Amino acid sequence: MSAWRQAGLNYINYSQIAARLLRQALKTDLRVEAAKRDEANVKFTQWKDGKPVSDKN
């Protein structure tokens, strides 16, 4: 069994921790660029009867 499983982590948690530690270990100029890639945008759309429901009415 892998070490991250024995620690009670799933693969997503393990990879997030590893990525965070790697970004912290980078030199400052590279750290800024890596921090930009860390950001994510998510848009949620509600669906009803197979069609997206718009709030703009």
Side-chain angles (χ1 to χ4, degrees):
M1 183 179 257
S2 60
W4 51 270
R5 279 273 186 211
Q6 290 175 347
L9 298 172
N10 61 28
Y11 183 75
I12 299 296
N13 297 125
Y14 165 75
S15 63
Q16 288 173 340
I17 292 169
R20 187 175 344 127
L21 291 173
L22 177 65
R23 282 187 222 105
Q24 290 174 356
L26 292 172
K27 293 180 181 178
T28 51
D29 56 336
L30 297 174
R31 190 181 303 167
V32 172
E33 293 178 31
K36 291 178 186 175
R37 289 190 298 270
D38 188 34
E39 296 176 10
N41 296 319
V42 178
K43 179 182 176 185
F44 291 97
T45 303
Q46 291 186 352
W47 291 72
K48 183 175 182 181
D49 298 326
K51 297 182 181 179
V53 177
S54 175
D55 292 335
K56 300 175 186 175
N57 287 333

